[in-house]
Amino acid sequence: MVNLLDLDRQGLTAFFMSLGEKPFRATQIMKWIHQQGILDFDTMTNLSKSLRQRLKECANFSLPQVQKHQISVDGTRKWLLQLDADNSIEMVFIPEEGRGTLCVSSQVGCALNCHFCATGQQGFNRNLTVSEIIAQVWIAKHQLCSEYTVSNIVMMGMGEPLTNFDNVVTAMKVMMDDFAYGISWRRLTLSTVGIVPAIKRLKEECPVSIAVSLHAPTDSLRDQLIPINKKYPLQQLMHACRAYTTGKPSRHITFEYVMLKGINDSPAEAHTLVKLLKGIPSKINLIPFNPYPHSPYQCTSIDSINRFRNILMHADLVTVTRKTRGAEIEAACGQLAGKVYNRREKRRDDDTHDTKNII
Ligand code: SAH
């Protein structure tokens, strides 16, 4: 059985050709699945009866089950999606004036172990398949119906998208396809901790907008917060970022910087950050740290965030302080958890939170 949600246009074309069908069947079925939300072959009336019968024999649509759907007082929505008996993930929709942003997960847990991130504390179980990634968009679109539209997608949920490269790229191709969701590369942002070789590959294979989780302006501090920095230190990362923007004048990199009280938020660090980003078309997102159970960090005060931001703005860096959304339903940055059957490690065993690590 082929799960048709696992295939982008190229994959569907190859699939239909293997059945002896014309390539245009691929775009017909994409419209049914992704635009109309139809997952029943009998409703697909522009396919012949015999083709529908054949499809029933060799293809299906398999997607995660919605286990829980929560709506925050600010309108932010969070879904808990069950993938299999051991694993579930979370995704978030953030409605704003004139746009709606869907925050999509790419892995069950995360292997990178960034010290300030709830997902990182869960450990890692597995990559999501293409269908598990694209199903998040499918479910959000069809559950939000006409109430809201998904105008922007950010690969900023659970996991490090660039360590699940092939599946993430195939799913993003479906997100961008005019016969599916038609999201332009400007409105599709992949957030990465900075997997240098994969940033280079992304530019060649699927150059969407990128956000880089920087969080520190020096290697000594970044090594402590983000262990993968030891493998891909700042000089290499900045080089990859510069290369990503070259040849594309309209492109900039968004740098994310989580504000951790007394750790990375001093004026001296702001000045070092200015120097680091010199010559890279950048936009900076300052993210107030969102606490989660047992986290050792605190958020910088509003005054200190403003002081930090002013230093960056005086150096002509476009800087925005991200609004915290959906915090009371734990839908904010770094709070997504889900359920992870953790094969790699177990860091906390006293957590009574209902989305805890289950072993
Ligand atoms: N692994 C990718 C995708 C996750 S995006 C990446 O690191 O970019 C989630 C963003 O939220 C990242 O910038 C992450 O560093 C940030 N984040 C993680 N924990 C956080 C927390 N507790 N408070 C605020 N932001 C956090």
Side-chain angles (χ1 to χ4, degrees), residues 128-286:
L128 297 193
T129 61
V130 175
S131 55
E132 288 165 342
I133 299 169
I134 203 65
Q136 296 173 61
V137 187
W138 191 94
I139 290 168
K141 178 176 156 106
H142 300 107
Q143 287 217 344
L144 295 166
C145 293
S146 51
E147 205 183 341
Y148 294 107
T149 350
V150 176
S151 64
N152 295 57
I153 298 178
V154 291
M155 298 298 304
M156 288 189 189
M158 296 166 65
E160 167 49 50
L162 290 185
T163 56
N164 183 13
F165 191 94
D166 292 338
N167 292 350
V168 165
V169 163
T170 305
M172 291 198 305
K173 285 186 174 161
V174 180
M175 295 172 198
M176 290 195 284
D177 198 306
D178 284 337
F179 291 98
Y181 301 96
I183 304 279
S184 88
W185 64 267
R186 288 170 203 278
R187 290 171 177 267
L188 174 55
T189 303
L190 179 146
S191 181
T192 176
V193 79
I195 311 294
V196 168
I199 294 176
K200 293 181 185 158
R201 229 184 117 192
L202 191 69
K203 186 178 183 194
E204 283 153 27
E205 295 183 30
C206 192
V208 296
S209 303
I210 60 169
V212 171
S213 294
L214 196 57
H215 307 324
T218 60
D219 280 322
S220 54
L221 181 55
R222 202 165 187 266
D223 282 351
Q224 288 170 36
L225 298 174
I226 302 176
I228 197 79
N229 190 67
K230 295 190 190 111
K231 189 161 180 197
Y232 304 117
L234 284 172
Q235 203 200 354
Q236 284 183 30
L237 178 57
M238 291 302 120
H239 184 267
C241 289
R242 213 168 276 126
Y244 200 81
T245 58
T246 48
K248 301 269 180 193
S250 56
R251 244 182 223 296
H252 64 265
I253 309 270
T254 300
F255 290 97
E256 295 159 287
Y257 198 98
V258 63
M259 299 303 295
L260 303 170
K261 188 176 184 173
I263 305 281
N264 64 355
D265 59 353
S266 71
E269 274 143 353
H271 288 294
T272 313
L273 184 58
V274 170
K275 285 199 197 109
L276 183 73
L277 298 183
K278 212 171 168 149
I280 303 177
S282 337
K283 190 182 141 196
I284 300 170
N285 260 344
L286 299 179

Side-chain angles (χ1 to χ4, degrees), residues 48-59:
S48 69
K49 261 201 172 144
S50 60
L51 175 57
R52 282 185 250 157
Q53 192 50 44
R54 271 191 87 190
L55 286 172
K56 281 187 219 168
E57 285 155 18
C58 68

Side-chain angles (χ1 to χ4, degrees), residues 103-104 106-107 110 112 114-120 155-162 190-194 211-215 226 255-260 287-292 295 297 322 324 332-336:
C103 180
V104 169
S106 57
Q107 294 179 324
C110 185
L112 296 179
C114 298
H115 288 175
F116 48 84
C117 179
T119 307
M155 298 298 304
M156 288 189 189
M158 296 166 65
E160 167 49 50
L162 290 185
L190 179 146
S191 181
T192 176
V193 79
V212 171
S213 294
L214 196 57
H215 307 324
I226 302 176
F255 290 97
E256 295 159 287
Y257 198 98
V258 63
M259 299 303 295
L260 303 170
I287 313 177
F289 172 69
N290 295 306
Y292 56 88
S295 69
Y297 298 108
R322 192 180 284 172
T324 294
C333 298
Q335 292 184 321
L336 299 187

